[in-house]
Amino acid sequence: MNKVRSFLSAGAVFGGLVVAGAIISPLILPDMSVAPMTNAKANFIYQQAINSKCADCHRPGTKISELMNTLSGGMLANHVKDGLRHYNVDATPTATNLAKLEYAIKTASMPPVAYTAVHWGSTLDKQEKAAFQQTIWAKRAQLAWKNHPWINLIGEEFAMQPIMPLPNALPVNKDKVALGKALYHDVALSDDNTVSCASCHALEKGGTDNLATSTGVRGQKGGINAPTVFNAAFHIQQFWDGRAADLKEQAGGPPLNPVEMGYKHPNDWEKIAAKLNQKTEFAADFRKVYPAGFNADTITDAIAEYERTLITPNSPFDKYLKGDKKAMSKDAIKGYKLFMDNGCYTCHSGPALGGQSFEHADLKGNFFGTRKLTPDDNGLMNFTKRESDQHKFRVPTLRNVELTWPYMHDASAKTLKEAIIKMYKYQVGRSDFDANELRQLSAFLKALTGEFEGKPLQGTPCPES
């Protein structure tokens, strides 16, 4: 493949490839043995191939005749079920969806041999592969420029990857941030004045509490591991099960949770407001920014604005992506290659290396083992009520992962090495990696620890196994 360093603005063309609305450096072209295509032609070929060679197993509603399924020994039904758990061709293009397609092309893992043996001609030909890659890059460029305008910070050799550095800051209202910071640390949000947002998401503990499940009011224990608050601004939805659309909606959850902060009814926001109004000076400052004073909308808006400042740029990995080849150790660089080669980026993509999709925890095996399942193990299904979403969880960010132990929604991995082994087994489907790979992947993950307010992020590194 040729590498071309080129800064493209909307409408610019190189070799027939148009990347609209993006600045990408470099532009790595598809297989140059294939005749150059316009984006329109590439997208047409891509859509045709999707419909004729992918949709059978990756489109909801696919019907399989009883005869064909019987003749295949049930294999076709299993292909469709498994295919939909991995990828839905009708889903809105996201960084994660595009990464999955890209990885399938690079590894020639799709369609599987068991499918092509029965469906002759279903393998992608050279032109189709080139059209897929070109379309993926064009869509990725549009998404990146729309959602992450700092994309031009990235070094040229990483420009077309689905992973990018964190920005130094996001635009915020500073007055709201100051109020939100005070509320984030205020125990008045709980009914017995013992628990604040910071109790479970401590900034000095990597944005978590390093507990399997958090402790709420009156010593009650929650049912699920508290995710880090750092870099949550980059998530498509909030909570493991996605029940909150954004940071503002998420901020309204814990106060009305009878286990976490103790209140139970939406009207209880009036009780919270009454407590906050007793702090006369703070209440006066609050009304200067929010004339309506304290209520559910203004309180959650201020907390969300503060949480938009909780980002951790300038990790060794960020510096490496920006062109500093010495920012990461040799082991970490090798670990990054393993991370990409094994398709880890197909779920852990975007600036937070996660938070962009919901994936099945038990994709490649029985993640839960023999333990008794709880309602929290249902994941996304609790929100959508769709059985197909059972055991799907929002992919956690890998940023600062060394500090955010224990891992998984059920805290079933106590150390970073345990987490790597578990993900290899249940997401990648591998158990054949050696001690060197484990060391290198650990080194890479540790290189994701960044800075907060210009200083190394606080926290205790995870115990070593």
Side-chain angles (χ1 to χ4, degrees):
M1 292 188 180
N2 291 349
K3 289 187 177 181
V4 181
R5 180 171 181 83
S6 176
F7 290 87
L8 299 179
S9 58
V13 181
F14 186 92
L17 179 59
V18 181
V19 181
I23 297 179
I24 296 297
S25 170
L27 181 61
I28 306 172
L29 298 178
D31 188 341
M32 296 304 289
S33 67
V34 177
M37 292 177 275
T38 63
N39 270 11
K41 181 178 180 181
N43 189 58
F44 177 76
I45 296 171
Y46 162 83
Q47 290 294 345
Q48 277 194 320
I50 285 283
N51 291 329
S52 64
K53 299 182 178 183
C54 305
D56 280 356
C57 295
H58 296 281
R59 174 166 284 152
T62 297
K63 302 295 183 182
I64 302 172
S65 71
E66 186 175 340
L67 175 61
M68 288 300 294
N69 194 48
T70 300
L71 291 174
S72 70
M75 182 175 63
L76 289 178
N78 287 333
H79 275 162
V80 171
K81 181 180 179 181
D82 195 45
L84 286 174
R85 282 165 62 85
H86 282 78
Y87 184 74
N88 179 351
V89 296
D90 293 334
T92 302
T94 64
T96 303
N97 289 342
L98 296 175
K100 289 179 179 179
L101 277 179
E102 182 178 56
Y103 185 72
I105 295 168
K106 285 183 176 180
T107 59
S109 57
M110 288 287 120
V113 174
Y115 183 84
T116 57
V118 179
H119 299 79
W120 296 351
S122 59
T123 303
L124 296 178
D125 62 30
K126 213 171 188 179
Q127 186 182 47
E128 287 170 332
K129 288 181 179 179
F132 263 71
Q133 188 64 80
Q134 182 169 325
T135 302
I136 288 167
W137 283 339
K139 290 178 182 293
R140 179 177 293 158
Q142 292 168 350
L143 285 173
W145 190 246
K146 175 183 177 182
N147 299 325
H148 313 297
W150 61 89
I151 185 65
N152 57 328
L153 295 174
I154 202 166
E156 63 178 33
E157 67 185 281
F158 306 115
M160 295 308 294
Q161 291 186 4
I163 297 172
M164 61 198 69
L166 286 171
N168 289 329
L170 293 174
V172 292
N173 180 308
K174 292 183 179 180
D175 293 331
K176 289 184 177 181
V177 167
L179 297 172
K181 181 178 181 179
L183 289 168
Y184 183 87
H185 293 88
D186 198 332
V187 295
L189 295 184
S190 63
D191 70 348
D192 65 355
N193 299 315
T194 62
V195 176
S196 71
C197 302
S199 299
C200 303
H201 303 282
L203 304 191
E204 68 275 12
K205 294 182 179 180
T208 69
D209 54 12
N210 297 136
L211 298 173
T213 58
S214 300
T215 303
V217 293
R218 292 173 288 282
Q220 298 179 91
K221 298 295 292 185
I224 200 165
N225 184 239
T228 178
V229 69
F230 282 111
N231 305 306
F234 301 104
H235 295 167
I236 55 169
Q237 290 169 244
Q238 303 297 323
F239 294 114
W240 286 102
D241 61 6
R243 64 185 183 273
D246 51 30
L247 290 174
K248 181 178 179 180
E249 190 172 344
Q250 183 278 329
L256 300 188
N257 185 306
V259 173
E260 296 181 33
M261 289 185 168
Y263 292 105
K264 303 174 182 179
H265 193 276
N267 290 339
D268 286 338
W269 282 107
E270 295 178 8
K271 297 178 182 178
I272 296 172
K275 288 165 66 176
L276 292 172
N277 275 319
Q278 292 175 12
K279 305 178 180 186
T280 54
E281 185 176 347
F282 180 53
D285 289 341
F286 196 87
R287 284 191 294 272
K288 290 177 183 177
V289 180
Y290 294 99
F294 296 114
N295 58 47
D297 179 66
T298 58
I299 292 170
T300 56
D301 185 75
I303 293 173
E305 195 73 357
Y306 170 61
E307 289 181 342
R308 283 175 56 83
T309 70
L310 302 181
I311 58 176
T312 57
N314 299 321
S315 70
F317 179 60
D318 287 316
K319 295 173 183 176
Y320 181 77
L321 287 181
K322 294 177 184 179
D324 183 355
K325 298 298 185 182
K326 296 181 179 180
M328 290 204 301
S329 68
K330 291 182 179 180
D331 268 353
I333 293 172
K334 290 177 181 178
Y336 181 42
K337 185 177 187 304
L338 287 170
F339 183 85
M340 300 299 289
D341 289 348
N342 283 284
C344 304
Y345 73 93
T346 62
C347 295
H348 293 283
S349 56
L353 281 85
Q356 300 299 299
S357 68
F358 292 81
E359 306 293 343
H360 286 93
D362 53 354
L363 194 63
K364 299 287 187 179
N366 184 8
F367 175 93
F368 302 97
T370 58
R371 74 170 174 80
K372 184 179 179 180
L373 300 184
T374 72
D376 288 314
D377 291 320
N378 286 329
L380 184 61
M381 187 180 81
N382 285 338
F383 173 60
T384 66
K385 310 305 179 185
R386 292 192 298 260
E387 187 176 349
S388 60
D389 287 332
Q390 188 175 31
H391 304 327
K392 287 181 80 172
F393 299 90
R394 194 204 65 221
V395 175
T397 174
L398 293 182
R399 294 287 182 174
N400 314 302
V401 67
E402 183 186 12
L403 308 178
T404 60
W405 51 277
Y407 307 107
M408 317 296 167
H409 79 282
D410 57 0
S412 56
K414 311 303 179 188
T415 70
L416 202 52
K417 289 181 180 179
E418 286 181 52
I420 294 170
I421 292 170
K422 205 172 181 76
M423 287 296 94
Y424 256 58
K425 183 175 183 179
Y426 297 114
Q427 297 300 311
V428 181
R430 281 189 59 189
S431 58
D432 59 341
F433 60 95
D434 58 27
N436 284 333
E437 289 188 350
L438 193 57
R439 185 188 70 252
Q440 290 161 0
L441 280 164
S442 293
F444 166 62
L445 293 175
K446 291 176 182 178
L448 298 176
T449 302
E451 299 176 352
F452 178 56
E453 297 181 338
K455 299 177 181 179
L457 185 66
Q458 294 182 63
T460 303
C462 66
E464 291 296 333
S465 53

